[in-house]
Amino acid sequence: MTDHTDDASRTEAFFTLHHRLPRQSPGSDATTRRLLDLAGPLPDRPRVLDLGCGPGRAALLLAAEAGAEVTAVDLHRPFLDELREAAGASGLGDRIRTVRADMGDLTGPAFPEGSFDLIWAEGSAYCIGFDTAVRDWQRLLAPGGAMMISECVWTTDAPSAGARGFWERNGSLRTLPETTAAAVAAGCTVRAVLVQPESDWDEYYVPLAERVADTESGAPGMEWALAATREELAVRREHGTEYGYAAYVLRPADPRWTTRPETPADRTAVHAVNTAAFPTRDEADLVDALRADPEAWLPDLGYVAEAPDGSLAAYALLTRCRVGDAPALALAPVATSPTHQRQGAGQAVVRAVLDAARVRGEALVLVLGHPEYYPRFGFVPASRYGIRPGFEVPDEAMTALVLDDSVPVPTGMIRYPAAFGV
């Protein structure tokens, strides 16, 4: 009984320490806006589910700037009271509905399946675990819906003993590729990943540090809450370059297509798909030539999409290229069998191979292709980054996708494998 009471006192003290702070986790209005843009097109009045909303900074912005109808969920009633007060003062009371509920048990009439266009969870999914959140929340999405879930990750492959010790006591972290693999294993594809800037931590920690300095430890549990928060602030000051928040924009994988890495047994079928998809055999022969180039070929980055009958419906290949001297990936070819075109097989296999590249820890992908097709995956003109091909091509057709924005984007000329003949 004593332990239970202590836990309740500590929880209440923790929440008291955070009441009326502008944020409950690292973030900023600028980052919320950028993630909203990365989520892709939404309906005119998108239905948004904000989970672990706290006092609702994101909910208010989504309602005001995206015209969203927001269902804001939190277990802590005072946070919901703060949000209702702020929504009323902002004239958004009719756009924001608050629900006191556990994000790990989203049942009942407030949470019907397929009822939300966007699920939003800034700094809150850790309460039930990132993997569980990604897996379980998908059922709430309407067709074409997306989730934005942020997660604290290692930003170094070799964290120091001090940083490891803190996080081993306070919830284990994974690297960005490992977290991406977890999202894919839970049935999603990754539309975008944003490693939040250091300024997002300042927006959370600066007011929190001021609150700690002004708070006395007399209330039950407050001494513990103050000590834990001081340690957290100290670890961030000393080890902040070793970890950060990564915000994931996710969509459920298309269930119509099974995607997987190609195997040696697929070579004949892969050749046939590429031959059928293009006017000549050039792309099929290109795959064979790239496969024979050990500097270009990456065995786990040729992907196929299987039709329900097990036949190969589509193919996508990433091989090693360079921008100046920096490694990058070239996406080519992408091919869909004529019998399966315009049914989503090509999109499914492209998303799958891009996810595989993220899991490998790759940072940059380039593609020369139709300017109306590839932006749906997040590609933008490569010239925005100072990247250019060594031949004449329309600017809008040479595009780039940054997979890891914590890695500096190289500039310069693209150096393709010899098999491309450019």
Side-chain angles (χ1 to χ4, degrees):
M1 182 69 175
T2 301
D3 288 342
H4 177 74
T5 303
D6 287 345
D7 287 345
S9 296
R10 289 176 173 184
T11 299
E12 184 60 32
F14 176 83
F15 282 128
T16 298
L17 196 59
H18 285 74
H19 281 166
R20 301 291 175 179
L21 290 181
R23 293 194 172 272
Q24 305 303 314
S25 65
S28 65
D29 291 348
T31 292
T32 299
R33 292 186 181 100
R34 185 173 178 191
L35 290 169
L36 180 61
D37 182 62
L38 291 173
L42 294 170
D44 289 339
R45 291 174 65 91
R47 299 160 297 171
V48 176
L49 179 62
D50 186 357
L51 295 170
C53 64
R57 187 68 174 257
L60 292 165
L61 188 149
L62 293 168
E65 299 189 14
E69 297 176 353
V70 181
T71 299
V73 176
D74 207 286
L75 263 177
H76 191 56
R77 192 180 302 278
F79 283 158
L80 299 177
D81 293 340
E82 286 184 45
L83 175 52
R84 283 193 296 271
E85 177 185 328
S90 303
L92 298 169
D94 62 337
R95 287 293 184 97
I96 297 176
R97 176 178 63 142
T98 61
V99 179
R100 185 172 183 267
D102 184 345
M103 70 173 71
D105 184 23
L106 299 175
T107 57
F111 308 107
E113 292 191 10
S115 56
F116 296 99
D117 303 301
L118 180 62
I119 293 174
W120 200 268
E122 284 193 37
S124 61
Y126 74 91
C127 294
I128 63 171
F130 178 83
D131 304 43
T132 299
V134 175
R135 183 190 67 236
D136 292 354
W137 294 348
Q138 292 178 57
R139 69 174 185 82
L140 300 171
L141 288 174
M147 298 188 289
M148 194 299 297
I149 304 175
S150 61
E151 175 77 341
C152 202
V153 300
W154 292 121
T155 54
T156 175
D157 293 329
S160 64
R164 283 199 311 271
F166 174 79
W167 283 107
E168 285 170 359
R169 298 192 307 275
N170 293 279
S172 60
L173 300 190
R174 295 177 291 202
T175 64
L176 201 63
E178 289 169 342
T179 307
T180 300
V184 172
C188 279
T189 63
V190 179
R191 178 177 173 85
V193 182
L194 173 67
V195 178
Q196 296 179 219
E198 184 63 26
S199 56
D200 280 11
W201 289 82
D202 292 340
E203 292 214 15
Y204 173 45
Y205 275 153
V206 170
L208 180 59
E210 293 172 353
R211 176 68 58 80
V212 168
D214 293 339
T215 302
E216 296 182 357
S217 60
M222 186 56 73
E223 184 175 355
W224 170 86
L226 288 169
T229 304
R230 290 188 185 106
E231 181 190 20
E232 182 180 342
L233 293 168
V235 169
R236 184 66 194 177
R237 284 194 299 270
E238 186 172 352
H239 302 290
T241 60
E242 300 178 45
Y243 61 92
Y245 259 99
Y248 281 81
V249 178
L250 306 170
R251 293 183 183 274
D254 190 334
R256 297 173 298 173
W257 310 102
T258 298
T259 57
R260 59 172 177 79
E262 67 169 301
T263 69
D266 296 317
R267 288 187 180 182
T268 299
V270 165
H271 196 280
V273 167
N274 281 283
T275 300
F278 295 100
T280 71
R281 289 170 46 103
D282 290 350
E283 280 76 12
D285 292 341
L286 172 64
V287 174
D288 292 338
L290 288 167
R291 196 178 279 123
D293 182 350
E295 294 186 3
W297 187 256
L298 302 169
D300 53 348
L301 291 185
Y303 258 66
V304 299
E306 291 183 346
D309 64 2
S311 63
L312 263 57
Y315 180 74
L317 177 63
L318 290 169
T319 51
R320 177 66 68 214
C321 68
R322 295 191 174 273
V323 175
D325 293 327
L329 297 174
L331 174 59
V334 174
T336 303
S337 170
T339 57
H340 296 295
Q341 289 178 1
R342 302 186 185 280
Q343 299 174 44
Q347 292 189 52
V349 78
V350 169
R351 295 189 192 283
V353 79
L354 292 176
D355 286 343
R358 294 181 195 273
V359 172
R360 273 180 55 97
E362 299 287 345
L364 178 66
V365 179
L366 303 163
V367 63
L368 174 61
H370 202 292
E372 294 183 5
Y373 183 75
Y374 288 100
R376 70 190 65 189
F377 306 105
F379 285 89
V380 299
S383 59
R384 292 188 189 179
Y385 300 109
I387 299 171
R388 64 188 188 280
F391 48 89
E392 290 295 323
V393 64
D395 184 69
E396 65 273 14
M398 186 74 249
T399 59
L401 173 63
V402 175
L403 301 178
D404 183 352
D405 65 356
S406 68
V407 177
V409 180
T411 61
M413 187 173 295
I414 306 167
R415 294 164 50 196
Y416 284 97
F420 282 89
V422 294

